[in-house]
């Protein structure tokens, strides 16, 4: 028994056990409404003359915009970690590389905005906040959703492989029992399991095609959810089939 | 000159009548025939390969029996028409539960960064890091560190609710 064979056995055990790498989550930033209220407080402070008011408001705005951008960079780092931890199929590697490149560009964008922040006035801080907000809506958030979809889809493949193994074993058992003592209920339940599993596989394949085809992240997400729902239905049918097999076994 | 050539020719012709001593011939032949003969090279290669296959098969068989003895692998389960896993409710339940957990994970909206729980330490770390970075800029006319040292105390429970990155940016763009 070679070392590689032993490793393969352990890997199979992990797969069958449904082991998943946990999805890391973004760090908390902790910016509250009261932090933003500092600006209003400065503007309404009668003890400040106009010059001091502008200086203090500018400082607060710079700090808040800066902290927010740094927080957004943490979000990028979390996604980079998630994406690096995904072991994708060969035909999805280029997509993974492309996403990683997009994340690097996102980090560069945030660094550029932070650099700009150091030389602007109050109006400039507002413009930077607006620019980052618009960029996130158009570029980053769709990328974020795409990466989450890829991670989710990849995690689901272990579940599908396990279900496929169970389907094969169940088919073997049903074929044997049908040969010994035909049972219409058993055959019907097994057909239902096959049907729902086929649906789940189709939806799973469609979700992959959606990812590779750069379709809408929401569309991919919907397909992923549907595939899992169909897989769950398959296990309901497996449960029925299992009970009927047990009933048909000689006591 | 011609005479010398003829003599030499005659001498060379007489060489073909040279024979070994009869006793020496017999002894040499006997020694050669009695010496051990090496097998042809090709057969030796075949024997080597067969020996390796034999060793490999022995090791594999030993490993197979170790698995059986250790209880990790049951040949009856693998070749039985109905495998135990098909009727094992615990295994079935575990697999179904894994799918339900994945559905729940899928339903969770991924953090859009966030700030949902306002971790003060994280916030403080980011604030101090940024304050240090800005303070290093010579063009900044306001001491940010002064402001970070005197944060505004929250005035209500609602105001302590953490905001997302986009919510903060929305507020700061106005």
């Amino acid at each position: 028994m070679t070392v590689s064979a032993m490793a393969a056995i352990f890997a199979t055990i992990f797969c069958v056990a449904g082991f998943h790498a946990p999805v890391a989550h973004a760090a908390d930033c902790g910016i509250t409404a009261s932090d933003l209220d500092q600006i209003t407080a400065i503007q309404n402070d009668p003890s400040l003359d106009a010059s001091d008011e502008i200086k203090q408001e500018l400082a607060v705005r710079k700090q808040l915009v800066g902290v927010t951008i740094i927080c957004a960079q943490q979000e990028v780092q979390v996604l980079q970690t998630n994406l690096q931890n995904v072991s994708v199929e060969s035909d999805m590697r280029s997509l993974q590389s492309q996403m990683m490149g997009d994340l690097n560009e996102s980090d560069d964008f945030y660094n550029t905005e932070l650099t700009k922040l150091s030389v602007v006035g109050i109006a400039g801080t507002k413009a930077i906040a607006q620019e980052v907000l618009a960029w996130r809506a158009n570029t980053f958030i769709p990328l974020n959703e795409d990466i989450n979809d890829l991670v989710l889809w990849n995690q689901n493949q272990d579940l599908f492989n396990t279900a496929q193994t169970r389907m094969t074993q169940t088919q073997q058992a049903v074929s044997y029992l049908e040969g010994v003592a035909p049972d219409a209920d058993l055959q019907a339940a097994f057909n239902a399991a096959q049907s729902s599993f086929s649906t789940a596989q189709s939806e799973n394949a469609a979700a992959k095609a959606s990812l590779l085809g750069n379709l809408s992240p929401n569309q991919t997400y919907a397909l992923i959810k549907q595939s899992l729902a169909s897989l769950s239905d398959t296990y309901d049918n497996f449960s029925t089939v299992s009970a009927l097999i047990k009933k048909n076994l000689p006591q | 000159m011609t005479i010398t050539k003829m003599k030499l020719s005659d001498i060379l012709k007489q060489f073909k009548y040279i024979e070994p001593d009869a006793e020496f011939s017999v002894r040499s032949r006997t020694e050669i025939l009695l010496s051990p003969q090496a097998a042809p090279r090709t057969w030796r290669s075949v024997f080597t390969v067969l020996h390796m296959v034999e060793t490999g098969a022995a090791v594999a068989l030993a490993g197979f029996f170790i698995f059986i003895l250790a209880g990790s692998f049951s040949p009856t389960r693998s070749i039985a028409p109905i495998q135990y896993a098909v009727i094992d409710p615990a295994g079935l339940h575990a697999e179904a539960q894994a799918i339900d957990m994945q559905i729940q994970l899928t339903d969770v909206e991924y953090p859009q960064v966030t700030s949902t729980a306002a971790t003060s330490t994280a916030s403080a770390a980011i604030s101090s890091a940024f304050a240090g970075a800005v303070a290093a800029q010579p063009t900044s006319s306001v001491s940010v560190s002064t402001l970070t040292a005197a944060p505004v105390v929250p005035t209500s429970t609602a105001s302590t609710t953490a905001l997302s990155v986009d919510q903060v940016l929305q507020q700061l763009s106005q």
Side-chain angles (χ1 to χ4, degrees), chain A residues 21-42:
Chain A
V23 175
H25 289 279
D28 293 328
C29 296
I31 300 172
T32 65
S34 67
D35 293 326
L36 295 171
D37 288 343
Q38 289 179 93
I39 296 170
T40 313
I42 291 168

Side-chain angles (χ1 to χ4, degrees), chain A residues 1 9 23 25 27-34 36 38-39 55 59 61-68 70-71 74-75 117-118 126 129-130 132-133 136 141 148 152 155-156 159 162 166 169 172-173 176-177 221 225 228 231-232 235 238-239 242 245-246 249, chain B residues 59 67 80-83 85-87 89 91-92 95-96 98-100 102-103 105-107 110-119 122-123 126-127 130 137 139-140 142 144 147-148 151-152 154 158-163 165-166 168-174:
Chain A
M1 186 60 58
I9 289 168
V23 175
H25 289 279
D28 293 328
C29 296
I31 300 172
T32 65
S34 67
L36 295 171
Q38 289 179 93
I39 296 170
K55 285 178 182 175
R61 281 185 178 276
K62 278 187 174 183
Q63 186 190 4
L64 289 174
V65 173
V67 167
T68 307
I70 289 173
C71 188
Q74 287 186 340
E75 187 179 24
L117 191 61
S118 61
K126 290 180 182 178
Q130 180 61 44
V132 174
L133 187 65
R136 283 174 59 84
I141 290 174
N148 287 338
L152 273 178
Q155 285 180 343
N156 291 350
L159 300 174
T162 304
R166 181 166 286 280
Q169 292 172 342
Q172 188 182 356
Y176 172 77
L177 286 174
Y221 179 71
K225 285 188 70 171
L228 284 175
L231 198 60
S232 182
Y235 269 83
F238 275 149
S239 181
S242 178
I245 288 174
K246 206 180 275 185
L249 284 175
Chain B
V59 170
F67 260 102
I82 299 175
Q83 294 183 33
V86 176
I87 54 170
L92 187 63
E95 289 173 19
I99 293 170
D100 290 341
Q102 186 68 359
I103 288 172
L105 180 66
T106 307
D107 285 337
Y110 277 72
Q112 295 282 336
V113 165
T114 180
S115 19
T116 51
T119 307
S123 177
I126 293 172
S127 294
F130 179 71
Q137 299 286 342
T139 53
S140 177
V142 177
V144 177
L147 287 160
T148 53
V152 173
S159 66
T160 60
T161 304
L163 303 171
V165 166
D166 294 318
V168 174
L169 290 171
Q170 180 70 43
Q171 294 284 320
L172 292 172
S173 65
Q174 293 166 358

